[in-house]
Amino acid sequence: MRDYDEVTAFLGGWGPHQKLLFSLLSVSVIPNGFTGLSIIFVGDIPEHHCLIPENLNLSEAWRNKTIPLQGAEQQRSKCSRYRLDVIMNLSETFPDPDFLNMSEIEQEPCLDGWEYSKEQYISTIVSEWDLVCNNDWKEPFVMSVYFMGVLAGSISFGILSDRLGRKIVMFGTMVLQVAFNVLITFSPNLEIFCLINFFKGFGEVSNFMAAFILGSELLEKSIRITYSTLGVSMCFSVGYMILPFVAYFIREWKMLILTLALSCLLYIPLWWFIPESPRWLLSKGRVKEAESILRLMAKKNGVTPPAMLFSELEFEHIKNNKVKSVPVTQLLKTCNTRTITIINILIWMIITMGYYGLSLNISNLHGDDYLNCFLFAASEIPANIATWLLFQKFPRRFSISSVLFLSGSILLLSQLIPSHFLSLATVLVVIGNLGNTCAFCMVYVYTAELYPTSLRSTGIGVSSMASRIGSILSLYIIYLDAYQENLSLIVIGVLTMFAAIAVLFLPETFNVPLPDNIDQMQKIYWFKSTRLVHSNLGKNEKMKKSRVILLEEAA
């Protein structure tokens, strides 16, 4: 029996139609780059201090003194003010507050709300619903809800994609992405915002994964790596680079989300140009549909397909051996698949924790937020190119382990930079993000090569689901800096180096055909070794028994 690549060899590896599919599928993920990370600006915390009611009869000098100064840099307190009743009494007696020792006055919380600086933002969800001081826990919670939606979407996408098809799930999640991004701008309160944010997350990253899987199965093996790195991953980075540019000119969170969401409508017409995956159709026994798509691709490539794409024997074999819907429990059924899945889950979780931990920590870095965000996004371009070059010539495990080790060591090294070299520390963090981005690109390709067609979407879906747990944890790792400066970067660096070691235990897939069923999956090395040891032990036992029998007969 011929495999899929042999059957479709007549199409050629890089014809006009493959080039068109490569381009269309790649640009379809650009919105994922700017909508998925828009929370960097939508949820940023503007400069703020306690609101002093306008109706109070206070001079400008007394108003400026009402907010306590804190820290070595003597910045205005964000969460407290001097008691207003005391201030009012003192202002009547002492017109000039400069002669008073204000530190002796009792303080109180911001009972009248907060005043937010308009210097950087007109509004964010933080200023909209006062997610500061005692309510500051709500800001990471809002983002956690989004990643919970991504988590639910990841596993649902995998199952639905393997059952309903790659194309319908890709465009279905695209519609969800647009609809909930528009709907969230009408949120009347934080509770409704969180609810819609959950469903917003459900559709956004699932759309990226669907496009990745569809392209991996539509394009020929030699193009697959280029598509994964210089195609979808590069376009995601382009979308990420667009985000700070748009956010710089649109400083109001509702208009920012609405602008980004409506631009996604441009991609809906791609439905009429992108076909379903013939590989998936064949796995479901839908031979006629797969054959019609392959003949259409041949026509657009200007090549003549064989009179019969499948022999009678192959046709019957496909019809009789179509892959049924495979439950997610198949990922844990055997020792081999179970171990691969567990290690995969750990690696995806740590890589995503590092990626989002660094990206969402942009506002805490030295320098302009918009420029830092652009630099982070721009660093992904050379990361994608490096991934493509590494995957062309080097084994998968070595490549992923190397970039993770580079990322982790640079993040730890950045902690040794003296405090007066803040710009250098920021550059090192950007380089650390570059290595993390490389690993993010690689792990998608590597995971797709580890799992067979019947489990590929489910495997990537479960791995992506685990990565969303990492995304949620990253939101709280950032807050470790409240206990010790840059503690979050130390934790991310150590975990990244652990992932660099863990990936070495997985099987190698370099120059190995994509598996179509579980039996064709690569085996983890120590399982082979264990079976070999047992086999040798068995042979040794048989030889010992034979010697004993021969000795007994001789006696």
Side-chain angles (χ1 to χ4, degrees):
M1 291 293 298
R2 296 176 298 167
D3 62 21
Y4 178 80
D5 291 326
E6 288 180 293
V7 171
T8 58
F10 68 91
L11 291 173
W14 193 231
H17 192 57
Q18 284 96 329
K19 292 177 182 177
L20 177 65
L21 292 177
F22 182 101
S23 303
L24 295 181
L25 285 166
S26 296
V27 298
S28 74
V29 305
I30 288 178
N32 292 283
F34 52 68
T35 58
L37 291 163
S38 60
I39 195 68
I40 293 173
F41 299 104
V42 169
D44 200 8
I45 305 174
E47 289 295 322
H48 59 279
H49 58 79
C50 291
L51 177 67
I52 309 301
E54 291 292 335
N55 57 1
L56 293 182
N57 188 22
L58 289 173
S59 66
E60 190 65 27
W62 269 104
R63 282 185 176 275
N64 291 335
K65 287 288 186 178
T66 305
I67 307 298
L69 300 178
Q70 296 178 337
E73 298 180 0
Q74 291 292 284
Q75 294 182 335
R76 281 183 164 190
S77 171
K78 300 179 185 296
C79 300
S80 62
R81 66 187 183 189
Y82 294 120
R83 282 183 53 180
L84 290 188
D85 55 343
V86 176
I87 291 294
M88 290 296 295
N89 291 332
L90 289 172
S91 65
E92 293 174 0
T93 308
F94 302 96
D96 190 350
D98 291 335
F99 297 102
L100 297 175
N101 184 5
M102 301 295 290
S103 62
E104 295 180 356
I105 302 175
E106 187 180 349
Q107 298 182 17
E108 64 183 6
C110 301
L111 301 177
D112 297 297
W114 289 263
E115 184 177 337
Y116 296 93
S117 169
K118 303 289 185 181
E119 183 178 350
Q120 184 169 350
Y121 302 107
I122 296 174
S123 71
T124 69
I125 61 170
V126 173
S127 62
E128 180 90 7
W129 292 301
D130 291 331
L131 309 183
V132 293
C133 299
N134 291 336
N135 289 325
D136 60 355
W137 62 271
K138 293 181 180 179
E139 187 210 1
F141 176 75
V142 168
M143 291 187 277
S144 296
V145 170
Y146 170 81
F147 286 122
M148 288 175 191
V150 174
L151 186 153
S154 297
I155 186 61
S156 301
F157 144 77
I159 295 170
L160 290 173
S161 183
D162 282 335
R163 292 184 179 181
L164 303 179
R166 316 316 196 196
K167 178 179 176 179
I168 193 169
V169 171
M170 174 183 163
F171 285 93
T173 52
M174 191 179 291
V175 171
L176 287 178
Q177 182 179 6
V178 175
F180 286 110
N181 268 290
V182 172
L183 194 59
I184 204 169
T185 61
F186 297 97
S187 304
N189 52 52
L190 184 63
E191 290 74 16
I192 299 298
F193 182 93
C194 287
L195 179 63
I196 299 173
N197 208 29
F198 175 86
F199 292 104
K200 177 174 173 281
F202 190 92
E204 282 183 348
V205 177
S206 300
N207 175 248
F208 176 88
M209 292 191 297
F212 170 77
I213 292 290
L214 183 56
S216 296
E217 295 183 346
L218 277 171
L219 299 170
E220 198 262 345
K221 182 174 67 173
S222 61
I223 308 301
R224 203 173 292 137
I225 302 301
T226 305
Y227 169 72
S228 304
T229 53
L230 303 185
V232 287
S233 294
M234 185 77 80
C235 285
F236 181 90
S237 302
V238 170
Y240 190 3
M241 291 170 66
I242 292 171
L243 172 62
F245 180 79
V246 177
Y248 181 82
F249 292 101
I250 304 177
R251 305 291 181 102
E252 201 273 327
W253 74 268
K254 291 183 179 180
M255 284 304 300
L256 175 61
I257 291 181
L258 193 62
T259 302
L260 296 174
L262 293 178
S263 67
C264 301
L265 293 173
L266 298 173
Y267 300 92
I268 300 298
L270 298 182
W271 171 271
W272 288 275
F273 297 93
I274 298 174
E276 181 55 272
S277 165
R279 186 188 286 267
W280 176 81
L281 289 170
L282 290 173
S283 74
K284 295 297 181 182
R286 294 159 63 175
V287 183
K288 294 294 184 184
E289 294 174 63
E291 189 171 341
S292 65
I293 291 173
L294 292 173
R295 291 189 181 280
L296 180 62
M297 292 174 69
K299 181 180 178 181
K300 292 185 176 181
N301 278 348
V303 299
T304 304
M308 289 183 62
L309 295 184
F310 304 97
S311 66
E312 290 293 333
L313 182 62
E314 288 173 328
F315 186 86
E316 288 301 319
H317 178 80
I318 293 170
K319 294 292 287 185
N320 295 331
N321 293 275
K322 61 182 180 181
V323 178
K324 297 180 180 179
S325 297
V326 180
V328 70
T329 52
Q330 287 289 323
L331 294 174
L332 306 173
K333 188 173 182 180
T334 68
C335 288
N336 189 59
T337 55
R338 182 163 56 248
T339 307
I340 288 174
T341 300
I342 291 171
I343 296 176
N344 244 346
I345 284 172
L346 284 173
I347 293 169
W348 277 69
M349 192 182 299
I350 292 170
I351 290 174
T352 312
M353 189 187 303
Y355 181 82
Y356 282 102
L358 295 174
S359 296
L360 298 176
N361 199 36
I362 285 173
S363 59
N364 295 328
L365 297 176
H366 174 72
D368 182 75
D369 290 347
Y370 298 98
L371 178 60
N372 286 343
C373 183
F374 180 81
L375 290 175
F376 264 69
S379 73
E380 296 191 1
I381 302 298
N384 291 320
I385 296 172
T387 301
W388 177 70
L389 293 172
L390 285 170
F391 266 21
Q392 293 292 326
K393 299 293 183 182
F394 297 100
R396 308 297 191 236
R397 293 184 305 168
F398 170 79
S399 301
I400 298 174
S401 181
S402 298
V403 296
L404 284 173
F405 185 83
L406 171 69
S407 176
S409 58
I410 286 180
L411 289 175
L412 294 176
L413 179 64
S414 68
Q415 307 313 302
L416 304 177
I417 303 300
S419 58
H420 54 280
F421 288 115
L422 292 175
S423 297
L424 178 58
T426 300
V427 170
L428 287 177
V429 173
V430 170
I431 296 172
N433 182 64
L434 186 149
N436 210 284
T437 303
C438 276
F440 215 157
C441 299
M442 291 175 176
V443 78
Y444 267 97
V445 179
Y446 187 40
T447 304
E449 293 177 344
L450 283 172
Y451 289 109
T453 302
S454 57
L455 273 175
R456 189 164 296 121
S457 286
T458 303
I460 291 181
V462 169
S463 300
S464 182
M465 179 188 72
S467 76
R468 300 314 149 193
I469 298 174
S471 305
I472 294 168
L473 293 175
S474 71
L475 303 172
Y476 298 96
I477 285 178
I478 295 171
Y479 281 83
L480 292 175
D481 291 345
Y483 300 96
Q484 180 181 327
E485 188 178 3
N486 293 329
L487 181 57
S488 61
L489 295 179
I490 295 172
V491 171
I492 291 172
V494 171
L495 290 174
T496 300
M497 297 190 77
F498 171 78
I501 297 170
V503 75
L504 296 174
F505 289 94
L506 289 172
E508 185 54 64
T509 61
F510 185 50
N511 287 335
V512 175
L514 278 180
D516 285 317
N517 54 64
I518 293 175
D519 293 335
Q520 295 174 354
M521 284 182 69
Q522 291 289 98
K523 301 296 186 291
I524 287 184
Y525 177 76
W526 69 71
F527 289 156
K528 289 182 179 180
S529 301
T530 302
R531 284 196 296 271
L532 186 61
V533 168
H534 286 311
S535 175
N536 289 336
L537 285 174
K539 289 178 182 179
N540 290 337
E541 288 296 326
K542 288 179 182 179
M543 290 176 68
K544 286 180 182 178
K545 288 180 181 179
S546 298
R547 290 195 190 108
V548 170
I549 293 170
L550 288 172
L551 289 171
E552 287 176 351
E553 288 177 352

